[in-house]
């Protein structure tokens, strides 16, 4: 890989981050982005999408694993698809982004950066004396309650403030106390599925099942195939809340301790390919397969003197043969299918 340097690029109405300048350029070319937007200075005041450049564990996404296309955020059209508003590249930006951990290989580019740092350990709230919220926008207040019911207190805080309230420790604790007394706190979410192209009950059940499995990328791809632009950040967040209601222990993906993808059982990769083919296609297993490939490639390079000025022609030929063998086995493991190299050799 080229020299590591976090780089940003504007593609179809959204800023993306990549581990290298070269990766950013390739993404811009692949998805018809703005080549002039490429910068190593973080754009300020914008949400940065990390789904193309980074795995959920912080490792780099292999360019071969990028999706065929990326979608613009809802409502972004015209010139904004290509040119960032004001091109806001300002040194010293400190905004952060959170991405979802999904178990499917479809990319969901929606992000949510809302957080709540409020604590209530030193606030005494009498349970039988509710705070006066009668002057607030009741629709937004109930939305805040729904998010509190899902344990998404950052979202609850944002909705409560939009309703006209002042979020503090007493509000935080009151919502936690009240949500535990009822089955559905704040009513139900209105997804307006019909206007989003989902009119079949079977399709709706698919979406709900995928949401519970954390497969938001698959949901987005499915809904966009039904009606372009139907998947939005608002829908994304509400679906997450829907899956976490009554649990009250929602933890943002950025706070979840993720397993080390470099630690795996080598024995899992041994055996006849007829038994292993496609069994490392998704999730943590796919990350293990990626690590397996890299370790074997590194060992093969060392064995055949790759990078050594004194490498012989015989060593070069042996390296290419060994490399193709590793690549072929890896593609079979992850179910990637066959691939023809520039040399004409078919691997996989």
């Amino acid at each position: 890989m080229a020299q590591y340097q976090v780089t940003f690029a504007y593609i179809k109405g959204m800023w993306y981050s990549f581990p290298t300048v070269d990766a950013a350029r390739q993404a811009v070319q692949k998805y018809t982005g703005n080549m002039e937007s490429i910068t190593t200075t973080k754009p300020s005041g914008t949400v940065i999408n990390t789904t193309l450049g980074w795995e959920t564990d912080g490792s780099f996404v292999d360019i071969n694993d990028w999706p065929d296309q990326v979608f613009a955020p809802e409502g972004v059209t015209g010139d904004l698809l290509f040119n960032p508003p004001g091109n806001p590249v300002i040194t010293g930006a400190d905004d952060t982004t959170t991405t979802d951990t999904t178990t499917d290989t479809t990319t969901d580019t929606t992000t949510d950066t809302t957080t709540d740092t409020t604590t209530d350990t030193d606030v005494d709230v009498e349970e039988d004396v509710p705070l006066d919220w009668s002057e607030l926008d009741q629709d937004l207040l109930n939305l805040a309650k729904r998010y509190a019911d899902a344990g998404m207190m950052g979202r609850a805080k944002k909705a409560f403030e939009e309703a006209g309230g002042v979020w503090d420790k007493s509000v935080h604790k009151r919502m936690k106390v009240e949500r535990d007394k009822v089955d559905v706190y704040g009513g139900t979410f209105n997804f307006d599925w019909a206007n989003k192209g989902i009119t079949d009950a079977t399709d709706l059940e698919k979406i709900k099942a995928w949401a519970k499995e954390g497969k938001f990328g698959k949901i987005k791809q499915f809904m966009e195939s039904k009606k372009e632009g139907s998947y939005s950040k608002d829908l994304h967040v509400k679906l997450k809340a829907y899956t976490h209601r009554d649990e009250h222990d929602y933890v943002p993906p950025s706070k979840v301790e993720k397993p080390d993808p470099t630690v795996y059982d080598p024995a899992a990769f041994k055996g006849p390919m007829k038994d292993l083919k496609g069994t490392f296609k998704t999730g943590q297993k796919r990350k293990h397969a990626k690590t397996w490939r890299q370790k074997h490639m590194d060992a093969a390079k060392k064995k055949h003197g790759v990078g050594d000025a004194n490498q012989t022609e015989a060593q070069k030929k042996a390296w290419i043969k060994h490399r193709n063998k590793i690549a072929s086995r890896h593609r079979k493991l992850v179910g990637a299918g066959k691939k023809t190299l520039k040399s004409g050799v078919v691997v996989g």
Side-chain angles (χ1 to χ4, degrees), residues 23 56 116 131 160 171 238 272 344:
T56 56
D116 170 38
L131 301 174
F160 186 82
V171 173
K238 287 179 179 177

Side-chain angles (χ1 to χ4, degrees), residues 9 11 16 38 41 48 63 101 116 171 177 212 252 262 290 340:
I11 303 171
Y16 288 83
I38 295 177
T41 300
I48 306 298
I63 293 175
T101 303
D116 170 38
V171 173
V177 169
K212 290 180 179 179
T262 64
K290 182 178 179 180
T340 303

Side-chain angles (χ1 to χ4, degrees), residues 54-286:
W54 315 87
E55 298 281 10
T56 56
D57 60 1
S59 60
F60 306 152
V61 172
D62 191 299
I63 293 175
N64 294 323
D65 294 333
W66 284 354
D68 292 334
Q69 59 180 320
V70 296
F71 298 96
E74 183 180 31
V76 177
T77 59
D79 185 62
L80 286 178
L81 287 171
F82 190 73
N83 294 312
N87 197 23
V89 181
I90 303 174
T91 303
D94 59 359
D95 46 312
T96 59
T97 186
T98 302
T99 55
D100 285 304
T101 303
T102 59
T103 54
D104 61 286
T105 56
T106 310
T107 302
D108 169 20
T109 59
T110 310
T111 58
D112 176 25
T113 61
T114 309
T115 57
D116 170 38
T117 58
T118 307
T119 59
D120 55 30
T121 55
D122 59 348
V123 176
D124 183 19
V125 178
E126 295 183 26
E127 296 187 12
D128 295 330
V129 183
L131 301 174
D132 184 10
W133 293 338
S134 61
E135 298 299 320
L136 303 183
D137 182 304
Q138 295 302 297
D139 288 337
L140 287 171
L141 173 60
N142 284 326
L143 178 60
K145 290 180 178 179
R146 291 171 210 149
Y147 284 130
D149 199 21
M152 300 169 68
M153 301 307 288
R155 277 282 159 186
K157 175 178 182 289
K158 181 178 180 182
F160 186 82
E161 291 175 340
E162 289 177 349
V166 177
W167 184 271
D168 56 22
K169 294 178 180 180
S170 61
V171 173
H172 180 97
K173 186 168 185 177
R174 168 56 62 185
M175 285 201 171
K176 290 176 67 177
V177 169
E178 289 185 348
R179 74 185 183 188
D180 293 333
K181 293 182 177 181
V182 295
D183 292 332
V184 179
Y185 187 46
T188 58
F189 284 105
N190 177 20
F191 289 101
D192 195 13
W193 292 113
N195 285 332
K196 292 179 172 59
I198 305 300
T199 57
D200 185 277
T202 303
D203 289 344
L204 181 55
E205 290 306 310
K206 285 181 182 178
I207 291 173
K208 290 181 176 180
W210 287 332
K212 290 180 179 179
E213 295 172 7
K215 297 182 177 180
F216 297 103
K218 182 167 287 187
I219 294 173
K220 176 174 182 177
Q221 185 183 60
F222 180 74
M223 290 185 63
E224 292 287 339
S225 70
K226 298 286 185 180
K227 182 178 180 181
E228 187 175 353
S230 60
Y231 192 91
S232 65
K233 178 179 178 180
D234 180 65
L235 174 67
H236 171 90
V237 175
K238 287 179 179 177
L239 275 174
K240 287 205 300 181
Y242 160 78
T243 65
H244 291 288
R245 293 197 81 170
D246 299 325
E247 294 182 11
H248 301 167
D249 59 355
Y250 172 74
V251 179
S254 61
K255 303 296 183 182
V256 177
E257 185 176 349
K258 301 177 179 65
D260 185 352
T262 64
V263 179
Y264 64 90
D265 180 11
F269 290 85
K270 298 178 180 179
M273 184 51 65
K274 64 182 180 64
D275 297 330
L276 298 176
K277 191 173 183 179
T279 58
F280 292 82
K281 191 172 184 177
T282 62
Q284 194 66 18
K285 281 193 172 184
R286 189 179 183 91

